[in-house]
Amino acid sequence: MSSSAKREALAALRDSLPIWVGVTPFGLVFGLLSQQTELGMPGALAMSAFVFAGSAQFISLGLLQASTAYPLIVLTTLVVNLRHLLYGASLAPHIQRLRPAWQRFLAFGLTDESYALTITRFARSEETSSGHWYFLAANANVYACWQLSTALGIWLGKWVPDPAALGLDFALSATFIGLLIPHVRDRAAIVAMFVAGIAALLARDLPGKLGILLATLLAATAGLLWDRITRGKNGEAGE
């Protein structure tokens, strides 16, 4: 590993440490709640290790408790995670030179948190040849946090009869807010943020958490349109 690669990896580990504050309670709650379903300890650990998608895992727990058919569970979690297509599209220009094996491995570890950290790094850093090491280290840190917190939640399950009463799930929302604020730097981002918030509220009762996907698509479209319209006006003004 080159010195620049080590520097990028260490920077990612440093930047992602605060993420543990939000992810750990979320993983604890998942571990606690999983013991109230047919998953049990092996299933919960396997889901965190191989699915590695917090929101999709929580939705799966609810569907399992409702005795939902497995194909429908898979379809629902797929829909919820479609937002990762948008993440991947914005990261693609920065990792397109990598071998396919690298790209697939990075894609597996992509989360909301590691995306926010990585896209910020790519936007601010002049280092391009080793940026994927930052991406990898950010993914690895979030992955380690999720596995450890899930295991700890499972272990604590015998002493916590009502996990939902702890209110730990708010920690993740607070983390997402902290990740969002640094990206709200122009009017297009502000427009996207408000559209996402309004759409999420109006569509919160849609089945299968489709409101999340709808809010994401509407916000991305609104931000893009605002950016193109303002750029067009600025171009006309300069003529």
Side-chain angles (χ1 to χ4, degrees), residues 133-221:
W133 287 102
Y134 184 99
F135 192 178
L136 177 64
N139 283 352
N141 202 22
V142 177
Y143 186 84
C145 178
W146 187 247
Q147 308 313 312
L148 290 173
S149 58
T150 295
L152 183 58
I154 293 172
W155 180 71
L156 291 173
K158 63 181 88 171
W159 293 292
V160 183
D162 186 13
L166 298 177
L168 294 174
D169 51 331
F170 177 72
L172 192 71
S173 300
T175 300
F176 283 149
I177 292 172
L179 291 170
L180 171 67
I181 296 303
H183 293 277
V184 184
R185 298 190 296 267
D186 53 34
R187 291 183 179 178
I190 293 173
V191 169
M193 181 181 67
F194 275 105
V195 170
I198 294 171
L201 287 173
L202 294 177
R204 65 183 182 276
D205 294 327
L206 289 179
K209 299 296 183 180
L210 287 173
I212 297 174
L213 177 62
L214 179 62
T216 301
L217 293 175
L218 289 176
T221 302

Side-chain angles (χ1 to χ4, degrees), residues 19-119:
I19 298 298
W20 284 62
V21 177
V23 173
T24 298
F26 201 44
L28 283 173
V29 173
F30 171 75
L32 290 167
L33 293 177
S34 67
Q35 301 313 289
Q36 301 176 2
T37 70
E38 61 188 76
L39 278 178
M41 181 181 68
L45 291 175
M47 182 177 282
S48 283
F50 298 111
V51 176
F52 185 43
S55 57
Q57 290 180 225
F58 273 92
I59 291 170
S60 297
L61 290 183
L63 294 175
L64 285 170
Q65 288 178 328
S67 300
T68 306
Y70 288 133
L72 183 57
I73 294 176
V74 173
L75 178 61
T76 302
T77 54
L78 173 65
V79 170
V80 170
N81 284 328
L82 282 178
R83 68 188 187 281
H84 285 238
L85 291 176
L86 300 175
Y87 295 165
S90 65
L91 289 170
H94 303 285
I95 62 171
Q96 61 184 358
R97 59 183 177 77
L98 299 178
R99 296 193 301 272
W102 255 104
Q103 295 176 353
R104 296 188 189 102
F105 190 61
L106 291 172
F108 167 76
L110 179 63
T111 64
D112 300 292
E113 297 86 0
S114 64
Y115 168 77
L117 292 171
T118 303
I119 198 65

